[in-house]
Amino acid sequence: MKQWWRRWTYEVPLAIGDALWEVLVVQLAALLDRLTVRKVIAFIPVAIIVLAYYHRIPIPPELILVGDFLAYIDIFSVLILLGVLSRVATILFVVKQAAARIVTFAGSVAAHAQRLDLRHRRERGASTRPRREPGRSEDDRPYGGIWDHVAIA
């Protein structure tokens, strides 16, 4: 009797607790590790179909449409991807054209700014060539003007 009591009050509850731990913690964690968003999305139409055939709960047609959409998510995702890629190509084309126009505009602005000479360092009436010094007389020249044609270092 003592052995029976020990078994049903100690060993059986421990075995049940170990089994619950295995199922609810260990195996559930392993399932969640393998679970992906795609698997969850693929399971939603199955749940909707089960609810639809369970006649006690009426299901609106919108929910059935969502289920169909999720069932064909691969086809829709390819179509959406193709649409996005075509838009990306269009956007890249427009950006390239805009960049080319900006470069052309910047070049023309730079050329125009150089022609305008925005610095205004000289007066309008000032000459642009340096002035020559008046010629010296023979008396003012060193060595009497003999060495004019030879450069003195």
Side-chain angles (χ1 to χ4, degrees):
M1 181 75 172
K2 190 173 186 182
Q3 191 71 350
W4 182 82
W5 181 255
R6 176 179 167 84
R7 182 173 181 190
W8 284 100
T9 59
Y10 183 71
E11 293 175 7
V12 170
L14 284 177
I16 292 172
D18 288 344
L20 287 174
W21 177 265
E22 177 70 25
V23 170
L24 296 177
V25 176
V26 176
Q27 290 181 7
L28 182 63
L31 174 73
L32 292 177
D33 282 341
R34 292 187 314 261
L35 193 63
T36 62
V37 175
R38 186 176 177 150
K39 288 181 181 179
V40 170
I41 291 174
F43 181 73
I44 291 173
V46 173
I48 291 174
I49 289 173
V50 167
L51 287 174
Y53 285 112
Y54 190 65
H55 293 292
R56 293 186 186 165
I57 301 172
I59 299 212
E62 298 86 18
L63 195 57
I64 298 295
L65 183 63
V66 168
D68 290 342
F69 177 77
L70 292 175
Y72 297 113
I73 193 74
D74 293 333
I75 297 169
F76 287 118
S77 64
V78 167
L79 293 175
I80 290 170
L81 183 65
L82 288 174
V84 167
L85 288 178
S86 67
R87 287 188 183 190
V88 167
T90 304
I91 290 171
L92 285 176
F93 177 72
V94 169
V95 167
K96 283 166 108 177
Q97 275 191 338
R101 287 184 181 180
I102 288 172
V103 167
T104 305
F105 179 72
S108 68
V109 166
H112 187 68
Q114 286 178 354
R115 275 186 268 144
L116 287 178
D117 190 23
L118 298 174
R119 295 174 291 177
H120 301 292
R121 292 189 179 172
R122 296 189 185 106
E123 293 180 13
R124 290 187 186 258
S127 66
T128 56
R129 289 194 240 158
R131 293 185 183 170
R132 299 181 73 190
E133 294 181 15
R136 297 183 183 171
S137 65
E138 254 186 66
D139 296 334
D140 294 338
R141 295 183 192 153
Y143 310 110
I146 301 171
W147 302 101
D148 277 347
H149 64 280
V150 177
I152 301 174

